[in-house]
């Protein structure tokens, strides 16, 4: 049996406020910055980062451009001037602080905290479907948080084109929790995030302490495509909402012919795809401007080996 | 028995987008502007108005100042210059279009469409607890929409200080529907609003056609006070969220000693008032900046006479 060994995760970053109106992460980061927990210092150094303080201050997703689309190799190396959007300047600062991306100096792991208006429970979102650290953390959260639906989403994008914050670390994921309106902090969602982050740090501590981890089977949702709202040909305004039968039903298999949209005049439009797929980010408010009504994923099982 | 007679409601306005990110009203107004329904022309002329098109375009509550706080006598008569906030200029335009407030030329009735992140169902919000037109419409909606919780909220403010849009009409109310995140349109909430507006217009048609209306008893919630979040003395950032036992429990009687907030460090804070009151606008995202975590109301029964 093949057994792999991986170096300990010594430098870890917990980041919130990458989107300034996703408040669970904003208040969790504020709370952590106030407390400076001691117990984490044992085997790991945890840096807590407020990613986009200007957007947080305004309680908006971003001030000029979406920070969480700025971490591509191209944007991180783009020249800056006085007219460069704040978020591009900030992404380069964060790359210096937590990276540089793709180098030995980068953080061992970045956990970036997000909320969604979609009914997605707790999702770890990563650019790899074969990162054993991330998959093991996922497995640990799933077993330790039985009351919360925990899932793993994989975006199949090469590292240089990976656009979001966690791609700056050697390992990393976004922890996405919903449903919660942006600009709102709900105690239940906050507590799930707080527990999730603590479990991530617990797992890292165990890993660094030499605990043996069993292998096993996990389910991974790999993003296949996005679907936009029906729109008026001239004005580009949307002409339908997510169908009530799909609303709040993230990760419930969508079959060809299933209701997808309900137009504002009352007509149902169905899913025209040929393959049943799993919807997620269903009716995420920040994605209207990106032309995404929902995303669709293929689910696969992934067997992995024990390690340490 | 006293029987009153009231003049017909000939000129009615249905307004949406007063807050640009409250999308049920935005899309309902767009849909109505597209269709220009004919059947309403029988006994009543209905004007459909997009109140704050700039905020709608940006999908924000407002661009410079909250439009729905600009309809006081003082603001409506304030001199304007190049530096006057857009929403103040717009409130004066709307006052010309739908008012002037307090005059015979004003609309007979204004129905202004809103959404809230709070779990409030459908509420009619009015500055009067004795406006028979509004109370009868409320009674009609309540009886015709048995699947939806329908309530009537009264803000006890004199007309000249009444700050919101519907105060420009001879009669008027905000139709507030939630929960829905701002920047999101849910088909279920949209359909409740669409049905609610149609029932309002149906009632007006019946009223104008000389239908006799029974009197009866209705419950009215009168706003007593607002409660702010616990805040850090220095930074003024909030230090707690609405307690999970209160979250989503709008209109469930809150007793002295009941949990009110859960601090981010996990401590429960209780309601310190001496009188049990009914909470509403619990965790409305737009009210964080206004220092309102929830509002509290006293409930009373109101008996009224039949009329026509």
């Amino acid at each position: 049996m093949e057994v792999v060994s991986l170096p300990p995760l010594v430098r870890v970053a917990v980041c919130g406020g990458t989107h300034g109106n996703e408040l669970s992460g904003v208040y969790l980061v504020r709370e952590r910055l106030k407390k400076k927990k001691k117990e984490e210092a044992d085997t790991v150094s945890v840096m807590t980062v407020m990613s986009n303080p200007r957007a947080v201050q305004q309680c908006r997703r971003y001030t000029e451009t979406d920070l969480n689309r700025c971490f591509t190799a191209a944007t991180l190396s783009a020249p800056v001037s006085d007219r460069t959007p704040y978020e591009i300047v900030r992404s380069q600062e964060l790359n210096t602080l937590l990276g540089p991306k793709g180098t030995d100096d980068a953080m061992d792991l970045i956990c970036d905290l997000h909320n969604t208006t979609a009914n997605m429970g707790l999702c770890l979102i990563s650019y790899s479907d074969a990162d054993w650290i991330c998959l093991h953390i996922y497995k640990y959260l799933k077993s330790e948080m039985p009351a919360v639906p925990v899932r793993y989403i994989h975006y199949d994008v090469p590292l240089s084109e990976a656009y979001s914050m966690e791609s700056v670390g050697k390992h990393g994921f976004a922890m996405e929790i919903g449903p919660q309106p942006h600009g709102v902090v709900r105690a239940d969602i906050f507590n799930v995030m707080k527990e999730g982050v603590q479990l991530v740090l617990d797992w890292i501590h165990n890993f660094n302490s030499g605990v043996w981890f069993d292998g096993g089977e996990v389910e991974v949702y790999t993003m296949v495509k996005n679907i936009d709202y029906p729109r008026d040909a001239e004005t580009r305004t949307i002409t339908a909402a997510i169908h009530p039968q799909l609303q709040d039903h993230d990760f419930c298999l969508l079959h060809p012919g299933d209701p997808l949209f309900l137009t504002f005049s009352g007509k149902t439009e169905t899913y025209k795809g040929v393959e049943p797929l799993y919807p997620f980010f269903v009716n995420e408010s920040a994605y209207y401007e990106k032309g995404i009504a929902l995303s669709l994923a293929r689910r696969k099982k992934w067997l992995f080996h024990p390690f340490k």
Side-chain angles (χ1 to χ4, degrees), chain A:
Chain A
M1 188 174 69
E2 183 196 12
V3 174
V4 296
S5 188
L6 291 166
L9 304 166
V10 179
R11 295 165 61 240
V12 167
V14 173
C15 309
T18 304
H19 293 133
N21 57 0
E22 300 180 9
L23 297 191
S24 304
V26 168
Y27 287 105
L28 191 54
V29 160
R30 281 193 174 134
E31 196 62 17
R32 290 182 58 82
L33 290 172
K34 248 195 264 176
K35 286 198 177 170
K36 293 274 178 201
K37 290 190 181 177
K38 274 186 191 169
E39 72 269 27
E40 292 156 13
D42 291 349
T43 64
V44 57
S45 151
V46 182
M47 186 189 287
T48 303
V49 178
M50 190 70 89
S51 311
N52 192 340
R54 279 199 203 171
V56 167
Q57 205 269 325
Q58 296 175 33
C59 197
R60 296 174 63 181
R61 185 176 175 89
Y62 56 79
T63 67
E64 294 182 88
T65 190
D66 192 336
L67 175 61
N68 215 30
R69 298 297 178 273
C70 290
F71 294 93
T72 60
T75 305
L76 290 177
S77 62
V80 302
S81 74
D82 287 356
R83 284 172 306 170
T84 304
Y86 166 68
E87 277 83 5
I88 291 180
V89 176
R90 182 63 182 152
S91 71
Q92 298 189 2
E93 286 174 12
L94 289 165
N95 190 44
T96 303
L97 184 71
L98 307 174
K101 175 171 172 169
T103 71
D104 280 348
D105 288 338
M107 284 280 163
D108 291 320
L109 186 140
I110 294 176
C111 169
D112 193 31
L113 304 173
H114 287 267
N115 291 118
T116 172
T117 60
N119 185 25
M120 283 171 62
L122 188 161
C123 292
L124 300 189
I125 307 181
S126 164
Y127 289 108
S128 171
D129 62 350
D131 182 315
W132 289 14
I133 299 286
C134 295
L135 289 175
H136 263 287
I137 290 175
Y138 161 58
K139 200 163 162 261
Y140 185 67
L141 262 59
K142 205 170 164 65
S143 73
E144 297 295 313
M145 304 179 82
V148 179
V150 180
R151 298 183 185 92
Y152 191 101
I153 299 173
H154 163 229
Y155 280 78
D156 191 12
V157 173
L159 189 67
S160 66
E161 289 165 40
Y163 44 75
S164 56
M165 176 98 165
E166 67 276 8
S167 70
V168 169
K170 293 196 189 86
H171 307 271
F173 48 81
M175 184 185 286
E176 182 81 65
I177 310 189
Q180 180 174 269
H182 301 318
V184 158
V185 56
R186 289 179 62 103
D188 51 359
I189 301 281
F190 179 82
N191 285 342
V192 167
M193 187 176 276
K194 195 170 168 181
E195 189 188 352
V197 168
Q198 191 53 56
L199 289 170
V200 169
L201 298 176
D202 291 350
W203 185 90
I204 292 170
H205 178 72
N206 292 342
F207 174 75
N208 290 347
S209 307
V211 170
W212 174 277
F213 291 93
D214 288 338
E217 196 181 78
V218 291
E219 285 177 349
V220 171
Y221 292 89
T222 298
M223 200 280 237
V224 174
K225 62 176 172 184
N226 299 317
I227 296 185
D228 192 11
Y229 292 93
R231 289 179 189 268
D232 183 275
E234 258 177 66
T235 64
R236 305 303 300 151
T237 59
I238 67 172
T239 54
I242 293 287
H243 195 279
Q245 287 181 42
L246 175 59
Q247 176 72 48
D248 306 327
H249 287 75
D250 300 67
F251 299 106
C252 299
L253 194 58
L254 186 74
H255 291 91
D258 282 352
L260 198 58
F261 298 108
L262 185 64
T263 71
F264 296 126
S265 56
K267 204 172 133 275
T268 293
E269 298 200 2
T270 60
Y271 171 47
K272 300 290 193 305
V274 290
E275 178 189 10
L277 290 169
Y278 292 89
F280 65 104
F281 278 128
V282 175
N283 207 350
E284 159 56 44
S285 78
Y287 290 178
Y288 283 63
E289 67 174 27
K290 298 186 199 294
I292 302 174
L294 67 152
S295 299
L296 290 170
R298 207 168 283 136
R299 188 170 76 176
K300 66 176 174 199
K301 298 220 163 130
W302 189 259
L303 263 170
F304 62 112
H305 300 299
F307 72 63
K308 185 70 206 177

